[in-house]
Amino acid sequence: EAGVAQSPRYKIIEKRQSVAFWCNPISGHATLYWYQQILGQGPKLLIQFQNNGVVDDSQLPKDRFSAERLKGVDSTLKIQPAKLEDSAVYLCASSFTQALDSPLHFGNGTRLTVT
Amino acid sequence: GESVGLHLPTLSVQEGDNSIINCAYSNSASDYFIWYKQESGKGPQFIIDIRSNMDKRQGQRVTVLLNKTVKHLSLQIAATQPGDSAVYFCADLNQGGKLIFGQGTELSVKP
Protein backbone atom coordinates (compact mmCIF):
# COMPACT_ATOMS: atom_id res chain seq x y z
CA GLU A 1 0.00 0.00 0.00
CA ALA A 2 1.17 3.55 -0.59
CA GLY A 3 2.43 5.27 2.53
CA VAL A 4 1.69 8.66 4.01
CA ALA A 5 2.77 11.36 1.58
CA GLN A 6 4.04 14.74 2.72
CA SER A 7 5.26 17.81 0.88
CA PRO A 8 7.43 19.70 0.66
CA ARG A 9 10.39 17.70 2.01
CA TYR A 10 12.29 20.82 3.00
CA LYS A 11 11.38 24.45 3.56
CA ILE A 12 13.50 27.42 4.57
CA ILE A 13 11.78 30.66 5.54
CA GLU A 14 12.56 33.80 7.47
CA LYS A 15 10.95 34.49 10.82
CA ARG A 16 7.55 36.18 10.62
CA GLN A 17 6.86 34.57 7.24
CA SER A 18 4.12 31.99 6.77
CA VAL A 19 4.41 28.39 5.62
CA ALA A 20 2.08 25.49 4.86
CA PHE A 21 2.63 21.74 4.86
CA TRP A 22 0.51 19.16 3.10
CA CYS A 23 -0.28 15.56 4.02
CA ASN A 24 -2.05 12.78 2.16
CA PRO A 25 -2.75 9.85 4.51
CA ILE A 26 -3.02 6.19 3.64
CA SER A 27 -6.26 5.50 1.78
CA GLY A 28 -9.04 4.54 4.16
CA HIS A 29 -7.33 5.86 7.29
CA ALA A 30 -9.83 7.91 9.25
CA THR A 31 -7.44 9.27 11.84
CA LEU A 32 -4.73 11.78 10.97
CA TYR A 33 -2.09 13.30 13.22
CA TRP A 34 0.42 16.12 12.96
CA TYR A 35 3.57 15.84 15.08
CA GLN A 36 6.42 18.27 15.64
CA GLN A 37 9.88 16.76 16.08
CA ILE A 38 12.61 19.10 17.27
CA LEU A 39 16.16 17.91 16.59
CA GLY A 40 17.27 15.35 19.16
CA GLN A 41 13.80 14.85 20.62
CA GLY A 42 10.89 12.52 20.16
CA PRO A 43 7.85 13.62 18.16
CA LYS A 44 5.26 15.72 19.98
CA LEU A 45 1.59 15.61 19.02
CA LEU A 46 0.19 18.89 17.71
CA ILE A 47 -3.27 17.89 16.51
CA GLN A 48 -5.37 14.80 15.86
CA PHE A 49 -8.25 14.54 13.40
CA GLN A 50 -10.95 11.89 13.18
CA ASN A 51 -12.28 12.21 9.63
CA ASN A 52 -12.68 16.00 9.28
CA GLY A 53 -13.21 16.72 12.98
CA VAL A 54 -10.59 17.72 15.53
CA VAL A 55 -10.16 15.19 18.35
CA ASP A 56 -7.27 16.82 20.20
CA ASP A 57 -5.52 20.13 19.57
CA SER A 58 -4.48 20.85 23.13
CA GLN A 59 -0.77 21.06 22.20
CA LEU A 60 -1.27 23.24 19.11
CA PRO A 61 -0.07 26.85 19.55
CA LYS A 62 -3.27 28.28 18.18
CA ASP A 63 -2.01 31.87 18.01
CA ARG A 64 0.22 30.90 15.09
CA PHE A 65 -0.56 27.32 14.05
CA SER A 66 -3.67 26.12 12.26
CA ALA A 67 -4.63 22.86 10.61
CA GLU A 68 -7.54 21.61 8.60
CA ARG A 69 -8.81 18.44 7.03
CA LEU A 70 -11.82 19.72 5.16
CA LYS A 71 -12.88 16.61 3.25
CA GLY A 72 -11.61 14.09 5.76
CA VAL A 73 -8.69 13.01 3.58
CA ASP A 74 -5.80 15.43 2.91
CA SER A 75 -4.68 17.84 5.58
CA THR A 76 -2.70 21.07 5.71
CA LEU A 77 -0.78 22.53 8.63
CA LYS A 78 0.00 26.25 8.55
CA ILE A 79 2.29 28.44 10.62
CA GLN A 80 1.78 32.20 10.52
CA PRO A 81 3.93 33.98 11.55
CA ALA A 82 6.86 31.59 12.01
CA LYS A 83 9.34 31.90 14.88
CA LEU A 84 12.88 30.61 15.14
CA GLU A 85 11.78 27.95 17.62
CA ASP A 86 9.43 26.47 15.01
CA SER A 87 12.45 24.95 13.25
CA ALA A 88 11.71 21.23 13.35
CA VAL A 89 10.52 18.28 11.31
CA TYR A 90 6.75 18.19 10.93
CA LEU A 91 5.49 14.64 10.70
CA CYS A 92 2.10 13.53 9.52
CA ALA A 93 0.76 10.13 10.56
CA SER A 94 -2.43 8.24 9.93
CA SER A 95 -4.18 5.23 11.39
CA PHE A 96 -7.17 3.17 10.39
CA THR A 97 -9.06 4.04 13.55
CA GLN A 98 -8.37 5.95 16.72
CA ALA A 99 -8.43 2.73 18.72
CA LEU A 100 -5.55 2.50 21.16
CA ASP A 101 -3.80 -0.25 19.24
CA SER A 102 -4.41 0.92 15.68
CA PRO A 103 -0.83 1.39 14.43
CA LEU A 104 0.30 4.83 13.35
CA HIS A 105 1.96 5.09 9.95
CA PHE A 106 4.25 8.09 9.60
CA GLY A 107 5.27 10.05 6.56
CA ASN A 108 8.88 11.16 6.08
CA GLY A 109 8.14 14.65 7.28
CA THR A 110 8.81 18.21 6.21
CA ARG A 111 12.00 19.73 7.60
CA LEU A 112 11.39 23.41 8.37
CA THR A 113 14.23 25.84 8.99
CA VAL A 114 13.32 29.31 10.22
CA THR A 115 16.12 31.88 9.92
CA GLY B 1 3.75 14.66 35.12
CA GLU B 2 3.84 11.86 32.61
CA SER B 3 7.08 11.15 30.84
CA VAL B 4 8.65 8.43 28.83
CA GLY B 5 12.40 8.41 28.79
CA LEU B 6 15.37 6.35 27.74
CA HIS B 7 18.38 5.52 29.87
CA LEU B 8 21.10 6.12 27.27
CA PRO B 9 21.18 8.54 24.37
CA THR B 10 23.60 6.41 22.30
CA LEU B 11 24.45 2.74 22.00
CA SER B 12 27.22 1.22 19.93
CA VAL B 13 27.33 -2.52 19.24
CA GLN B 14 29.31 -4.88 17.07
CA GLU B 15 27.56 -6.43 14.10
CA GLY B 16 26.18 -9.81 15.10
CA ASP B 17 25.90 -8.96 18.79
CA ASN B 18 22.60 -8.52 20.60
CA SER B 19 21.40 -4.99 21.42
CA ILE B 20 19.34 -3.96 24.41
CA ILE B 21 17.66 -0.56 24.49
CA ASN B 22 15.97 0.48 27.71
CA CYS B 23 13.07 2.76 28.50
CA ALA B 24 11.46 3.98 31.72
CA TYR B 25 7.96 5.38 32.04
CA SER B 26 6.33 7.28 34.85
CA ASN B 27 2.59 6.71 34.44
CA SER B 28 1.57 3.49 36.16
CA ALA B 29 -1.81 3.68 34.37
CA SER B 30 -0.18 3.31 30.95
CA ASP B 31 -1.49 0.20 29.27
CA TYR B 32 0.07 0.09 25.85
CA PHE B 33 3.66 0.59 24.74
CA ILE B 34 5.22 0.78 21.31
CA TRP B 35 8.76 0.76 19.98
CA TYR B 36 9.55 2.79 16.87
CA LYS B 37 12.64 2.88 14.68
CA GLN B 38 13.55 6.12 12.93
CA GLU B 39 16.19 6.18 10.22
CA SER B 40 17.79 9.42 9.14
CA GLY B 41 15.46 11.51 7.02
CA LYS B 42 12.48 9.23 7.56
CA GLY B 43 9.47 9.07 9.82
CA PRO B 44 9.23 6.65 12.75
CA GLN B 45 8.48 3.08 11.77
CA PHE B 46 6.50 0.70 13.99
CA ILE B 47 8.60 -2.21 15.30
CA ILE B 48 6.67 -3.96 18.02
CA ASP B 49 4.08 -3.25 20.70
CA ILE B 50 3.07 -4.72 24.03
CA ARG B 51 0.05 -4.39 26.28
CA SER B 52 0.33 -3.99 30.03
CA ASN B 53 -1.17 -7.44 30.63
CA MET B 54 1.90 -9.01 29.02
CA ASP B 55 5.51 -9.32 30.21
CA LYS B 56 7.11 -10.27 26.93
CA ARG B 57 6.40 -10.20 23.25
CA GLN B 58 8.55 -11.48 20.44
CA GLY B 59 8.80 -10.49 16.82
CA GLN B 60 11.29 -11.22 14.10
CA ARG B 61 14.71 -10.69 15.77
CA VAL B 62 13.12 -8.33 18.31
CA THR B 63 11.76 -8.91 21.78
CA VAL B 64 10.10 -6.40 24.07
CA LEU B 65 10.10 -6.97 27.82
CA LEU B 66 7.82 -5.09 30.18
CA ASN B 67 8.39 -4.83 33.93
CA LYS B 68 5.41 -3.05 35.42
CA THR B 69 6.81 -3.23 38.95
CA VAL B 70 9.65 -0.85 38.12
CA LYS B 71 7.91 0.78 35.12
CA HIS B 72 10.57 -0.29 32.69
CA LEU B 73 10.57 -1.77 29.23
CA SER B 74 13.33 -2.87 26.94
CA LEU B 75 13.83 -3.70 23.29
CA GLN B 76 16.18 -6.52 22.48
CA ILE B 77 17.50 -6.92 18.95
CA ALA B 78 19.13 -10.24 18.18
CA ALA B 79 22.11 -10.50 15.83
CA THR B 80 22.24 -6.76 15.20
CA GLN B 81 22.86 -5.79 11.59
CA PRO B 82 24.10 -2.55 9.98
CA GLY B 83 20.53 -1.92 8.80
CA ASP B 84 19.45 -1.71 12.43
CA SER B 85 21.38 1.55 12.84
CA ALA B 86 18.77 4.18 13.69
CA VAL B 87 17.20 6.09 16.55
CA TYR B 88 14.82 3.97 18.63
CA PHE B 89 11.91 5.49 20.51
CA CYS B 90 9.65 3.97 23.08
CA ALA B 91 6.19 5.46 23.19
CA ASP B 92 3.41 5.19 25.69
CA LEU B 93 -0.22 5.32 24.61
CA ASN B 94 -1.96 6.68 27.67
CA GLN B 95 -5.60 6.57 28.71
CA GLY B 96 -6.18 9.85 26.94
CA GLY B 97 -5.22 8.22 23.67
CA LYS B 98 -2.10 10.34 23.26
CA LEU B 99 1.15 8.81 22.04
CA ILE B 100 3.95 10.11 24.27
CA PHE B 101 7.43 9.58 22.82
CA GLY B 102 10.67 9.37 24.75
CA GLN B 103 13.80 11.17 23.57
CA GLY B 104 15.29 8.25 21.68
CA THR B 105 18.43 6.13 21.71
CA GLU B 106 20.74 6.22 18.73
CA LEU B 107 21.97 2.74 17.88
CA SER B 108 25.19 2.46 15.89
CA VAL B 109 26.28 -0.90 14.53
CA LYS B 110 29.99 -1.39 13.92
CA PRO B 111 30.91 -3.76 11.07
Side-chain angles (χ1 to χ4, degrees):
Chain A
E1 66 182 0
V4 176
Q6 290 188 248
S7 67
R9 283 288 279 137
Y10 305 94
K11 190 73 177 178
I12 300 174
I13 61 172
E14 295 181 351
K15 60 184 179 185
R16 291 186 290 272
Q17 287 187 322
S18 62
V19 65
F21 313 125
W22 173 82
C23 172
N24 179 234
I26 292 173
S27 178
H29 280 195
T31 312
L32 184 146
Y33 311 78
W34 283 102
Y35 282 83
Q36 180 193 58
Q37 187 174 24
I38 293 172
L39 185 65
Q41 298 183 17
K44 184 186 83 170
L45 179 67
L46 291 175
I47 189 167
Q48 176 184 345
F49 291 94
Q50 178 67 17
N51 296 310
N52 61 348
V54 175
V55 173
D56 184 347
D57 64 356
S58 58
Q59 300 296 308
L60 189 74
K62 298 180 189 63
D63 58 332
R64 298 184 300 105
F65 286 64
S66 63
E68 59 184 15
R69 194 185 184 200
L70 292 175
K71 296 183 179 179
V73 181
D74 293 4
S75 177
T76 56
L77 176 69
K78 296 179 182 178
I79 307 175
Q80 180 180 13
K83 292 185 176 181
L84 295 176
E85 59 260 37
D86 297 333
S87 294
V89 175
Y90 290 85
L91 294 162
C92 179
S94 69
S95 62
F96 185 66
T97 72
Q98 59 178 337
L100 290 182
D101 58 355
S102 184
L104 268 67
H105 299 262
F106 283 86
N108 288 330
T110 296
R111 181 177 295 278
L112 173 68
T113 302
V114 182
T115 63
Chain B
E2 180 176 0
S3 66
V4 180
L6 290 159
H7 291 308
L8 294 173
T10 60
L11 176 66
S12 184
V13 300
Q14 203 71 37
E15 181 178 358
D17 287 352
N18 296 335
S19 303
I20 300 176
I21 301 172
N22 295 305
C23 181
Y25 63 96
S26 61
N27 187 354
S28 56
S30 298
D31 60 2
Y32 184 60
F33 304 89
I34 311 167
W35 281 99
Y36 282 91
K37 172 187 180 183
Q38 188 172 25
E39 297 174 277
S40 180
K42 295 186 178 180
Q45 177 186 7
F46 173 91
I47 301 174
I48 191 168
D49 58 359
I50 188 167
R51 287 192 173 276
S52 60
N53 61 355
M54 303 170 70
D55 297 323
K56 180 180 179 179
R57 191 165 188 214
Q58 286 185 295
Q60 187 176 12
R61 285 201 304 119
V62 295
T63 301
V64 56
L65 299 177
L66 176 62
N67 186 330
K68 294 179 287 293
T69 302
V70 295
K71 292 186 282 189
H72 178 274
L73 69 160
S74 65
L75 177 71
Q76 300 178 4
I77 304 173
T80 312
Q81 303 168 359
D84 294 327
S85 294
V87 177
Y88 289 81
F89 293 97
C90 61
D92 160 26
L93 198 63
N94 65 14
Q95 293 291 336
K98 246 183 234 182
L99 200 59
I100 308 295
F101 283 82
Q103 280 199 293
T105 291
E106 183 172 9
L107 175 65
S108 298
V109 181
K110 295 177 289 186

